Amino acid sequence: MNIIKAYFLGFREAVRLPRPVFLIYFINLMLGVMIILPFYGIMDAQIGESIEAKSLIKSFDYSILADFYNNSQAGISLLLGQVKWTMFVYWIVSIFLAGGIIRTLNQDKFSMTSFFSGAGYSFFRFFKISIVMLIIHIFTLLLVYIPTFLIIGAVASNPNSETTVIAIFFTGFVIHILLMLILLMTNDYSKFYSALYDTSKTFKAIKGGFSYVFKNFIRTYSLYLMLVIIPALLVYAYFRVNAELGTTTKFGIIIMFFVQQAFIILRIWFRVWTYSSPLQMFTADFLKNDDVIAKIAIMNEWQDKASQQNKHVLADIMQTEEEKSDAGVITEKELLKRMEADEFPEKELMKKVEAEISAKAIKNQKKKENTTVKETLQKKEILPQKEEKLDIKEKKDISPKKDKKEKDNKDKTDKKNNDNETYFEL
Amino acid sequence: MKKISLFYLLSICLILISNLANSQIIFDTPLSNRVVEYNIDANLDVDKKLIVAKMKVSWINNSTDTISELQFHTYMNAFKNTASTFITESGGQLRSNSIDVNDEMAWGWIDIKKIILPNGKDITSSHKYIQPDDGNTADQTVISLRLPRRVAPGKKVTLDIYFNVKLPKVFARAGYSNNFFLVGQWFPKLGVFEKNEKGIYAWNCHQYHANSEFYADFGVYDVNITLPDSYVVGATGGLQSEKDNKDGTKTYKYRAEDVIDFAWTASEFFQVKEYDWKGVKVRILLQPEHFGLADRHTFALNAALDYFEKHIAKYPYKNLTVVDPPVGGMGAGGMEYPTFITAGTFKHIPKGVKMTEMVVIHEFGHQYFMGIIATNEFEEAWLDEGINSYMETRIMDETYGFNNSLIDFLGIRIGDGEIQRAGYVYGGASKIAETYHKSWEYTDGGYGVMSYNKPATFLMTLDNLIGRENMDKIMKKYYRDFSFKHPKTQDFIDIVNEVVKTELGDKFEDMNWFFDQVLYQTVTCDYEAKSISNHKLVGFTGAFDSGKNKNFKTADHSKNNYTSTVLLRRNGEMIMPVEILIEFDDGDKVIKEWDGKSRTHKLTFNGGRKVVSVVIDPYKKNLMDTNILNNSKVLDQEKIGILKYVFKFLFRLQNLLQTISFFA
């Protein structure tokens, strides 16, 4: 999938998710309010009855604000301490919500149950990824700035020109920003990897993330930069509005408050977009891997079955007692192991899926380029068609062990009861 | 030995004759008493960062004592090792620049090679290092020279001193950075022989300290500087001549009259902007990358020259040199020497950030406060830095805007005066020491606050109390009476008292009460508008005798009569007279005066109107008040001003949180 398409398809998908955006906004606002209320109390106690409060409306008054800070240092220090904790809490919450966002981005219908199920399911995986990525961030920071300052130190012990110093620092800064963007991207792609491959292995996910980013560097980086442009324009627009509207009147202050909150909502929505577009691209590429396709089909089938506790169905396709007992927790590694050992029970199925997908892929080459990941999945019969609502039993129809008649009958009966089921959980 | 002496004598005579022949008199009538005279030949080895120099110095005994000792500053030894008083006090760092102790070239020193009397007698061995301030025997920044013959009152003593100076890598005030040289405090400079606190004549010759370095006598300097011809040179005084030595070097002859010090600079990269300001030849030596900022330097300098001319006196010298050090030599920035100042800027400094202008104006101000009115920076730094900071604030605020003179960038506006007050109020050192304090005795820091910020703030307060016109009279008289002299704190106070008594005798008998508090004590000022209460008068209620009967009266709410009470407090120890503005609900405003002495002050108003607000010091005259927020009380105040900042804070916080989410 090219980046333009990923960009716009991601936009389309993100637009469909107002509820998570407002949920995140609500959490953001509430955490902010928890800090702001005591701040208001401090400010009101210090300036509330002072004539200087009027001066605050007119313009920035250094002496008033400095006096306020000077006389409220204890309270403000306490609040700043709370800000640190709030940042930490929001970071954790953001990790939690990322799982929900990623899961719901590929669903037809948004449901809170599914959102929180995805969030909960991925939390510890994503948390570990975020921790490792944060450590990598810190190392990168040191890796960039220690040499930068060493060079500056060496050059700047006696430089005649500050341009040299500025150039060195600026170079370090630009390198840092570029690397930071790569790391931020990798952080997201690692989560996509973890979700799509359903792996809880942190380093494998990060390796997958890095691998994907670097193998598709121009696409991933360009897409990320494209995603950064709009928020940058938004910031510019905000400052223009602020300059035009001003906050020197009661009306202006109140209007600007709403503008500010709209800005925050848009920022949150842009964050969802920065998940959505790269996810579109990543998933599309992910699905080009035929082994993956087959594995996903089968693993989803197994997992769905296991999660639905349809042990009896599973039993039909299991060959050993051991496999039966492992039905609910089968891993990709085990799957691969079995495949390698030629003991894979769905070997024939896989071949069939491969053949079908290859054929369809060639046939729909042009059409494919204009479809969303979801549509692709649907076309590849990994996801049901829009009108269809399949369930576990329905998926059995692709099993070679079941005949078509049985499948059709089950289709009719099960469709009624499974309208809200999730079929392709990432 | 005799032959050598004779040789030296002849050489010196030849040099002297040569110098006299080349010297051009600057002032027909000396501006100062010219106690000292220096003729120096300095040869700079730009590779070794070494100055090889010979100096003829003369000193006139203007005292009534006969003396047998001279004392010299040998301040380059402050950079000699970590045992020096300067390095000990400063920790080897100043203004965020620090010395690289592992670099041999980083150190600096002065070696006195030879001291010879006019008769050829070598008295080198008669000198020894002394430590009059702290007794640190490792410090070699002051030498005492025992003379073989006593110098009678009115008599002159002349010496030839041969010395070498190894310049330090600049981190504080002077030194080198690559091919940039800022050569200050570099020659053996005589101290001041004057009456001490006990009224006895003695040498006032302090060691080189982290906080102070200036106190010397006025004199005449003839200095020949020889260095490679690729270098651009600037120095105290004016260039008299330059000579191509045909060996790749040039010799620049500078002469300065009626100055207390001599400094010079050299760099291969300077770009020079020259212009004339009312007969003063101004030279700005800029780094090539800063040449685009020449106009900012010029505008600020002209603003200062004009302002001082208008409010104090015209700049008396014929030359003024401004040096812009390179980034590696920024430690030499923001320095003042007679007719020679260093500034400091950055290529991309925004127009709204006027640090460069502030430094130029401040350092120029030192031409008056320290340079011309040559106060003792070691003992009374406030007369030097404090008065100068006050003048800097006036010029900055009146030139660039009262509340945005220093910073007007990205919506942040800060005035120079606000920064001075902030330094005093918020610096955490408002009570750390008295302003009248020896500069090296700030054991717990606070020199900057007490010498710059607090004096600037209390002088602005004094200005507000007595009026700008009277303040200008004070400054003009101070200049008139003490230019080219060494006034003390009491001299300044006496002038303030004199002017105040003449101009404001009905209001203030003197200002001793003011200086007693701000100079000699650590008291702080804080007045508070504690409360406003409006009680409706409803008449007496209850049972009243009416003959044999009881007449019951109930509250009469029909009339709008109130007793309004305003309660004020003095929270600080400092006492200042203040004005109080009271506003009533009918829009009427009344100004009352309070001498500020009592701890509480109550104002009562009876009538058909309520007090809605009270403001102590409504015109913000008293800048010493450490909390202006509690100076007023307003009933039914709108909170929108507070909400503005609450919303802003909330918005920034929300943005911060959302930024964090990218790392999640």
Side-chain angles (χ1 to χ4, degrees):
Chain A
M1 183 180 280
N2 69 44
I3 55 168
I4 303 292
K5 202 172 77 180
Y7 188 74
F8 286 108
L9 292 179
F11 174 81
R12 206 169 83 183
E13 289 298 301
V15 166
R16 291 192 316 107
L17 297 176
R19 284 165 74 188
V21 169
F22 280 99
L23 172 72
I24 298 167
Y25 168 69
F26 179 74
I27 294 167
N28 177 294
L29 182 65
M30 284 305 106
L31 287 172
V33 165
M34 281 169 64
I35 301 290
I36 281 301
L37 282 180
F39 178 74
Y40 176 81
I42 294 170
M43 210 162 181
D44 191 36
Q46 285 290 333
I47 316 181
E49 293 184 322
S50 172
I51 203 160
E52 307 300 345
K54 283 182 187 170
S55 317
L56 292 178
I57 304 172
K58 284 184 281 177
S59 63
F60 177 91
D61 192 317
Y62 172 75
S63 291
I64 292 171
L65 294 174
D67 270 25
F68 163 67
Y69 177 74
N70 190 45
N71 290 297
S72 317
Q73 274 186 44
I76 290 173
S77 300
L78 205 68
L79 280 182
L80 291 177
Q82 283 183 19
V83 167
K84 287 178 202 163
W85 282 108
T86 306
M87 284 163 64
F88 178 72
V89 168
Y90 195 73
W91 182 66
I92 298 284
V93 168
S94 297
I95 293 168
F96 177 75
L97 297 178
I101 292 167
I102 291 170
R103 171 171 288 193
T104 50
L105 273 171
N106 273 312
Q107 287 182 340
D108 273 342
K109 254 178 136 181
F110 175 82
S111 85
M112 279 295 182
T113 315
S114 175
F115 181 84
F116 284 111
S117 157
Y121 182 75
S122 308
F123 176 69
F124 283 108
R125 294 175 177 191
F126 286 8
F127 180 71
K128 286 188 282 181
I129 290 170
S130 295
I131 289 279
V132 174
M133 289 306 294
L134 203 62
I135 293 166
I136 295 172
H137 265 292
I138 293 165
F139 271 112
T140 310
L141 207 70
L142 298 175
L143 206 68
V144 172
Y145 285 110
I146 288 176
T148 302
F149 284 110
L150 283 175
I151 295 167
I152 288 174
V155 175
S157 60
N158 260 333
N160 283 317
S161 165
E162 72 200 53
T163 309
T164 316
V165 177
I166 292 169
I168 295 166
F169 180 78
F170 190 70
T171 305
F173 178 72
V174 168
I175 291 169
H176 173 230
I177 294 295
L178 295 176
L179 288 177
M180 191 177 77
L181 286 177
I182 292 170
L183 293 177
L184 290 174
M185 276 194 318
T186 306
N187 194 6
D188 289 351
Y189 282 111
S190 301
K191 284 171 189 157
F192 302 157
Y193 187 96
S194 170
L196 265 70
Y197 286 88
D198 195 22
T199 177
S200 57
K201 290 177 180 171
T202 309
F203 289 102
K204 187 177 178 183
I206 290 171
K207 189 184 163 193
F210 268 116
S211 168
Y212 183 78
V213 165
F214 285 111
K215 277 180 185 166
N216 305 279
F217 188 73
I218 293 176
R219 285 198 304 146
T220 52
Y221 209 81
S222 307
L223 180 60
Y224 216 78
L225 289 177
M226 280 169 69
L227 288 164
V228 169
I229 286 169
I230 300 281
L233 291 174
L234 186 70
V235 171
Y236 174 75
Y238 170 78
F239 282 115
R240 285 303 303 266
V241 170
N242 192 25
E244 291 295 323
L245 209 60
T247 49
T248 53
T249 62
K250 193 174 181 178
F251 177 76
I253 291 166
I254 291 165
I255 291 294
M256 271 313 292
F257 170 72
F258 289 109
V259 170
Q260 286 166 350
Q261 293 311 304
F263 179 88
I264 295 295
I265 292 167
L266 279 172
R267 269 202 72 181
I268 293 167
W269 182 77
F270 277 118
R271 179 63 183 123
V272 174
W273 191 5
T274 55
Y275 278 126
S276 176
S277 286
L279 182 61
Q280 289 292 326
M281 195 162 75
F282 185 83
T283 313
D285 292 342
F286 171 79
L287 291 172
K288 283 178 186 169
N289 184 333
D290 291 341
D291 284 346
V292 166
I293 294 161
K295 278 190 277 177
I296 287 170
I298 295 157
M299 284 176 68
N300 275 315
E301 186 180 356
W302 288 7
Q303 284 184 358
D304 286 349
K305 284 166 187 169
S307 65
Q308 296 295 324
Q309 296 184 337
N310 287 328
K311 301 278 183 182
H312 64 284
V313 179
L314 209 55
D316 289 341
I317 58 169
M318 295 294 174
Q319 290 186 334
T320 63
E321 285 301 311
E322 191 185 351
E323 282 168 342
K324 284 176 190 173
S325 64
D326 288 340
V329 289
I330 190 159
T331 64
E332 188 188 349
K333 189 179 175 184
E334 287 165 337
L335 192 66
L336 288 169
K337 194 177 165 188
R338 285 176 199 155
M339 287 168 75
E340 283 165 13
D342 207 20
E343 291 170 358
F344 189 54
E346 303 294 280
K347 196 173 160 187
E348 292 305 316
L349 165 68
M350 197 179 82
K351 283 180 182 173
K352 188 183 170 185
V353 171
E354 273 176 7
E356 280 179 22
I357 287 167
S358 300
K360 285 186 181 179
I362 295 161
K363 197 176 174 182
N364 299 321
Q365 190 66 36
K366 287 181 183 175
K367 286 183 183 176
K368 195 176 71 177
E369 291 300 316
N370 297 317
T371 54
T372 65
V373 169
K374 195 187 307 113
E375 286 161 353
T376 308
L377 293 169
Q378 285 163 346
K379 281 174 185 167
K380 289 183 178 182
E381 294 179 356
I382 289 167
L383 267 186
Q385 296 300 319
K386 272 189 181 175
E387 297 73 19
E388 285 181 348
K389 295 294 174 188
L390 304 177
D391 69 353
I392 306 300
K393 291 171 187 173
E394 181 186 51
K395 285 192 177 179
K396 277 168 58 187
D397 68 352
I398 57 171
S399 164
K401 295 190 176 181
K402 300 290 166 188
D403 63 52
K404 199 166 186 315
K405 274 184 185 177
E406 191 182 338
K407 181 199 128 191
D408 291 342
N409 290 334
K410 287 194 178 297
D411 277 354
K412 286 172 190 172
T413 50
D414 294 335
K415 249 168 85 175
K416 295 173 189 172
N417 303 319
N418 294 286
D419 279 355
N420 294 322
E421 289 293 332
T422 303
Y423 301 102
F424 184 70
E425 294 187 347
L426 297 174
Chain B
M1 187 69 187
K2 268 189 176 179
K3 280 182 182 174
I4 293 169
S5 301
L6 192 63
F7 171 74
Y8 277 129
L9 195 62
L10 282 169
S11 305
I12 288 160
C13 287
L14 281 171
I15 291 164
L16 194 62
I17 290 162
S18 159
N19 283 342
L20 286 171
N22 287 330
S23 295
Q24 297 163 24
I25 302 300
I26 300 171
F27 299 114
D28 294 334
T29 307
L31 303 175
S32 68
N33 57 1
R34 297 187 181 178
V35 176
V36 289
E37 194 176 326
Y38 296 90
N39 285 279
I40 308 174
D41 285 308
N43 201 319
L44 174 65
D45 183 329
V46 294
D47 296 323
K48 293 178 181 169
K49 320 298 179 191
L50 189 73
I51 298 168
V52 178
K54 51 188 175 182
M55 174 175 92
K56 177 180 280 297
V57 55
S58 302
W59 177 80
I60 300 168
N61 181 3
N62 276 340
S63 76
T64 52
D65 278 7
T66 300
I67 65 158
S68 57
E69 180 204 16
L70 297 178
Q71 286 187 11
F72 292 85
H73 304 110
T74 46
Y75 280 172
M76 267 301 155
N77 282 336
F79 302 94
K80 194 170 183 178
N81 51 50
T82 53
S84 79
T85 290
F86 168 69
I87 300 285
T88 309
E89 287 174 349
S90 67
Q93 65 88 33
L94 209 67
R95 298 177 191 162
S96 30
N97 296 299
S98 52
I99 193 166
D100 180 359
V101 292
N102 298 315
D103 182 359
E104 284 186 8
M105 285 300 286
W107 303 103
W109 58 84
I110 177 170
D111 282 334
I112 305 293
K113 295 290 182 187
K114 199 172 283 185
I115 304 172
I116 295 172
L117 288 170
N119 62 7
K121 187 177 181 187
D122 187 337
I123 57 166
T124 311
S125 59
S126 301
H127 87 272
K128 64 173 182 179
Y129 292 107
I130 59 168
Q131 299 78 26
D133 297 339
D134 64 358
N136 170 16
T137 52
D139 189 70
Q140 299 180 338
T141 56
V142 176
I143 61 169
S144 164
L145 179 69
R146 184 61 53 189
L147 298 170
R149 289 172 62 184
R150 295 162 77 86
V151 183
K155 296 292 179 189
K156 183 194 274 190
V157 59
T158 301
L159 300 168
D160 292 311
I161 302 178
Y162 293 74
F163 61 96
N164 290 354
V165 173
K166 160 66 180 63
L167 292 165
K169 193 178 274 188
V170 64
F171 80 97
R173 300 167 184 161
Y176 75 91
S177 172
N178 275 345
N179 57 4
F180 165 77
F181 296 87
L182 198 293
V183 189
Q185 306 288 15
W186 57 289
F187 59 94
K189 187 172 62 180
L190 279 155
V192 179
F193 193 69
E194 63 176 9
K195 281 185 179 172
N196 62 18
E197 289 167 346
K198 294 171 187 168
I200 300 165
Y201 275 107
W203 281 102
N204 193 310
C205 193
H206 292 284
Q207 293 163 249
Y208 190 85
H209 291 284
N211 291 334
S212 53
E213 57 173 322
F214 293 113
Y215 193 48
D217 260 322
F218 290 94
V220 176
Y221 290 78
D222 282 294
V223 181
N224 295 309
I225 301 162
T226 302
L227 74 177
D229 57 10
S230 57
Y231 278 73
V232 177
V233 178
T236 293
L239 179 67
Q240 303 283 298
S241 64
E242 64 180 81
K243 184 183 141 196
D244 189 342
N245 299 321
K246 310 291 182 194
D247 60 354
T249 66
K250 267 187 174 181
T251 299
Y252 298 85
K253 177 173 171 51
Y254 278 87
R255 180 176 172 85
E257 294 177 359
D258 305 302
V259 294
I260 58 138
D261 199 359
F262 187 96
W264 56 282
T265 186
S267 169
E268 284 185 300
F269 295 134
F270 279 142
Q271 288 193 1
V272 184
K273 176 170 181 171
E274 287 182 322
Y275 67 98
D276 180 87
W277 180 88
K278 298 180 184 177
V280 177
K281 188 179 178 183
V282 179
R283 284 184 91 212
I284 305 178
L285 308 178
L286 291 150
Q287 297 302 313
E289 59 197 347
H290 297 159
F291 201 72
L293 297 164
D295 288 345
R296 285 178 64 171
H297 286 76
T298 307
F299 186 85
L301 198 59
N302 288 350
L305 281 158
D306 289 336
Y307 198 92
F308 271 94
E309 182 188 24
K310 184 180 173 187
H311 295 277
I312 295 182
K314 186 175 180 286
Y315 178 69
Y317 299 113
K318 306 288 184 193
N319 301 86
L320 180 60
T321 300
V322 182
V323 181
D324 167 39
V327 63
M330 208 53 92
M335 283 305 301
E336 67 277 19
Y337 302 94
T339 79
F340 180 96
I341 60 173
T342 67
T345 191
F346 294 100
K347 188 179 180 181
H348 300 289
I349 191 166
K351 280 185 180 173
V353 178
K354 298 205 165 50
M355 301 306 289
T356 304
E357 287 84 344
M358 185 270 282
V359 175
V360 168
I361 289 169
H362 181 91
E363 303 311 334
F364 173 75
H366 277 302
Q367 295 304 311
Y368 290 75
F369 304 108
M370 187 285 284
I372 298 167
I373 301 171
T375 48
N376 189 330
E377 192 193 26
F378 300 91
E379 296 174 10
E380 298 173 306
W382 85 273
L383 286 173
D384 173 331
E385 298 292 0
I387 295 179
N388 188 37
S389 295
Y390 159 70
M391 286 307 294
E392 166 211 310
T393 292
R394 280 179 57 171
I395 298 168
M396 284 293 290
D397 286 356
E398 289 182 34
T399 305
Y400 299 107
F402 185 72
N403 282 327
N404 60 349
S405 58
L406 199 59
I407 293 172
D408 191 350
F409 185 59
L410 299 175
I412 296 169
R413 286 177 289 278
I414 305 175
D416 193 83
E418 288 183 297
I419 281 290
Q420 300 291 359
R421 177 180 173 270
Y424 166 60
V425 174
Y426 322 132
S430 55
K431 289 185 169 184
I432 206 159
E434 303 83 10
T435 287
Y436 191 84
H437 208 83
K438 288 185 170 66
S439 71
W440 67 94
E441 289 181 348
Y442 284 90
T443 48
D444 192 22
Y447 167 80
V449 173
M450 289 303 137
S451 303
Y452 291 72
N453 306 135
K454 186 180 175 185
T457 308
F458 73 63
L459 286 171
M460 285 189 284
T461 302
L462 179 67
D463 188 328
N464 292 334
L465 285 175
I466 66 173
R468 173 58 52 87
E469 201 181 320
N470 292 323
M471 200 64 193
D472 280 354
K473 283 179 184 169
I474 289 166
M475 300 309 288
K476 281 178 178 170
K477 184 167 173 53
Y478 182 49
Y479 181 88
R480 206 166 47 241
D481 291 358
F482 292 103
S483 54
F484 303 102
K485 289 176 186 160
H486 303 299
K488 307 287 180 198
T489 291
Q490 195 54 49
D491 295 320
F492 182 79
I493 295 172
D494 288 345
I495 288 173
V496 172
N497 286 339
E498 189 183 328
V499 171
V500 165
K501 192 167 186 177
T502 308
E503 304 296 332
L504 300 164
D506 55 333
K507 196 173 180 185
F508 301 111
E509 193 177 325
D510 60 47
M511 297 305 283
N512 288 337
W513 61 272
F514 180 83
F515 288 107
D516 283 347
Q517 295 183 99
V518 298
L519 271 179
Y520 303 111
Q521 297 177 40
T522 58
V523 292
T524 54
C525 182
D526 180 25
Y527 286 98
E528 180 186 2
K530 187 66 185 164
S531 64
I532 298 172
S533 61
N534 293 296
H535 291 292
K536 193 169 186 178
L537 299 174
V538 292
F540 296 109
T541 57
F544 295 88
D545 292 329
S546 176
K548 290 181 181 177
N549 300 322
K550 297 290 180 201
N551 190 7
F552 292 94
K553 286 186 179 176
T554 55
D556 178 9
H557 292 282
S558 63
K559 291 174 186 173
N560 282 330
N561 282 326
Y562 297 93
T563 293
S564 301
T565 308
V566 171
L567 187 64
L568 311 173
R569 267 192 188 171
R570 175 168 64 83
N571 296 329
E573 299 301 318
M574 187 181 287
I575 294 167
M576 294 281 281
V578 286
E579 291 168 324
I580 300 147
L581 175 72
I582 299 112
E583 187 178 0
F584 296 91
D585 60 355
D586 60 1
D588 191 23
K589 290 177 182 175
V590 173
I591 287 274
K592 298 275 180 187
E593 288 190 350
W594 178 27
D595 62 12
K597 288 179 181 169
S598 57
R599 279 289 179 185
T600 56
H601 187 63
K602 195 167 159 183
L603 294 167
T604 305
F605 304 91
N606 292 310
R609 55 189 188 170
K610 292 187 279 189
V611 171
V612 291
S613 73
V614 59
V615 186
I616 300 171
D617 190 27
Y619 308 113
K620 292 194 169 71
K621 291 179 178 177
N622 177 16
L623 302 176
M624 298 299 285
D625 196 314
T626 54
N627 183 6
I628 55 174
L629 302 179
N630 67 2
N631 282 16
S632 54
K633 183 74 77 180
V634 182
L635 299 181
D636 302 324
Q637 175 77 289
E638 271 198 358
K639 309 287 184 187
I640 194 71
I642 295 173
L643 282 177
K644 173 180 170 176
Y645 282 91
V646 168
F647 290 161
K648 276 189 175 185
F649 185 27
L650 175 65
F651 180 56
R652 279 162 177 68
L653 188 61
Q654 286 178 289
N655 270 300
L656 177 68
L657 294 179
Q658 196 46 38
T659 303
I660 294 293
S661 78
F662 272 88
F663 295 88

